[in-house]
Amino acid sequence: MAGDSVFDLIRLRKATRVPLNTVFLWLDTCSTDFEKFKDQFCAETSTMSYNWQFYDTKEKGYEFIKQADAQQNIVVISSGRIFADILNGLHDLRQLHSIYIYCNKKDKYEPWKDNYHKICGIFDDPVQLFDQMCYNLDEEARRSQQNIDITNRTKSKVRTTAVKIHCLVKNEIKSYYQPSISWCPWQASGCTTTSLPIKGQGTIEVWQYKSIPFELRISNKLDPNDNAANSYAIVLKVNVDKAQLGLVNAQCEHTLRVLDDTQESHEVLQADDSSWHCYWLTFYGEYRMIQYGIGEIRPRFKILEVHPHECDKISINNISYLHMKVNNDLNNKPTEYFKDNFRIFIGTEPVIFDPPLLVISPIEFSPTHPANIKGVLAPLLRNPCRNLYVEVIDFSLNAESFPNFIETVEQSIRNPTGWCYKKLKEKDNHFGKSKVEASYLCIALDQLENDKPICPCLIKIWPPGHHSPVHNHGDAYGIIRVLHGKILIKFFPFLSVNVRQDSLIEQLFVENQVTWMIPKLNQTYQMKNPDMDVSCCITIHCHQHETDDTIFCERFDFITNDGHRIEHYDCLPDTNYLTFKNMMLMESKGESTA
């Protein structure tokens, strides 16, 4: 709907909390009202401008909604004329959350409300539209919070969001699926059974808040005790002193034949430490592949691996059932104990490749580009990562008004009177025992020189040889881009003071390269500038957490500098970007920043 509007009459109100996965789509032939409405809505709610899209044709709007991730909630504000032809084809899609018709002819479209339950109203007044949208979102947030209050306990829950990652592996797009089907066998003893979504393949996660010895058995029989001649089962047993992976079939007289095991302390049942631990099993009949691991699910982090004989392939392909047995020593534990401390998630796909760490930009994408051997193509990132990537990818430290900015920063790091040098000295004990190499500068970026807002980010400056602690973000979506120099990142399967160094993944990222994280993947890592005396490294970080709507909130658990404890850290930036740049400009002119 084009024409003059009365947006200046929209009153200030309590900020509406908008869920992270909400996207607003405005469909109209004119963008004037869209720009005014978007700016006002972002100013008075928790919404960022990148959550809004505008299209002036029904074809573009239709494609945007049809191709959207099913986990998104798309709120459509559209003129009646544009939406009329596509309403039937889109209304029942899961990703289409709600519809608001904004037009000059209210009476013409009022009957739509009786036939389409997702239409929340017909409006010709932007103030009424604004208030109704905020009211609906507030009510939804209130109901959601009530449900959370009813179900939540004092400790955090394991996230159940289904995440599908599209990756480019040797110029072929492959998908990585995280387990997302929740299964709740709450019995305290004996075996419980469920059907697997797909025969002969899958991934199972067992999440524990309290250490509970368990046995996973996946078999071709509904009854786990069926000893028929053709019965076949894969068994994973995990307890406090041993983890075992093996087979049960007629050839071994239906007793466990262990094919691989471990007694290493970080590879068996983990001790109670007020955090969740993930034990996983993945299998694939076609490859005769069975793997067990702890922490993030990726082949590089496997602990045990078994490849049965070729003759076992048919039996593995017929595996249809999952059985769970909890240690009989826990028979005295009530059902409620397991509900609070035990989670099981089932995935339809086996994990047969490591999702790559590098994000490939659309500009670089071509069949001959070296990076295309293995990487995540930026447009295929799952939101909010895709939006975070858009925010950071064009940011530059270089400016005509301050061409020697990076050189000045490096001088400030080396000079005992420089702001950077003194701030690093102040921070050498932020992660435990004093250690100057375990410090870095953290600059808040929420505004540019031209007053243009930007999705709040953090700029981190790493002097030569300096590093972060090994830390875990928990449930964050995140994007990290190298703005200057190079950074070595070591990825770990989980956060532990005794994790083996040979289980980690190391990758060097150079200027303009990007890496990513999502809940339950790429969450535990350490960053280090590998240049010992050459140049600083500067990176930009943008995070969002699943458990709240906060952007620009970096928090993590970390291993202290002495390597003996795990503690929590809420990041407080050292200063903001514009202030920092002004201080560096003063230092470049020989002026004091004290």
Side-chain angles (χ1 to χ4, degrees), residues 259-303:
L259 300 178
D260 199 1
D261 67 356
T262 179
Q263 298 183 40
E264 297 286 346
S265 61
H266 58 282
E267 297 177 343
V268 299
L269 198 69
Q270 299 298 291
D272 293 343
D273 58 2
S274 299
S275 61
W276 288 89
H277 295 280
C278 175
Y279 308 84
W280 54 268
L281 176 74
T282 188
F283 75 105
Y284 191 31
E286 286 300 309
Y287 287 3
R288 295 176 289 107
M289 179 274 292
I290 311 163
Q291 293 178 343
Y292 154 73
I294 299 179
E296 296 186 354
I297 307 175
R298 51 196 316 156
R300 183 65 179 84
F301 292 156
K302 68 179 180 293
I303 293 172

Side-chain angles (χ1 to χ4, degrees), residues 49-50 387-395 454-455 457 542:
S49 61
Y50 62 75
N387 288 336
L388 299 180
Y389 175 88
V390 171
E391 288 293 330
V392 306
I393 195 60
D394 292 326
F395 175 77
I454 185 173
C455 177
C457 304
C542 203

Side-chain angles (χ1 to χ4, degrees), residues 40 103 136 153 181 238 248 250 263 266 276 298 309 369 391 543-544 553 567 587:
Q40 188 72 33
C103 60
N136 291 346
R153 302 296 176 186
I181 303 169
V238 181
V248 173
Q263 298 183 40
H266 58 282
W276 288 89
R298 51 196 316 156
H309 194 273
H369 195 282
E391 288 293 330
H543 296 103
Q544 279 186 245
C553 175
E567 296 183 0
E587 288 195 18

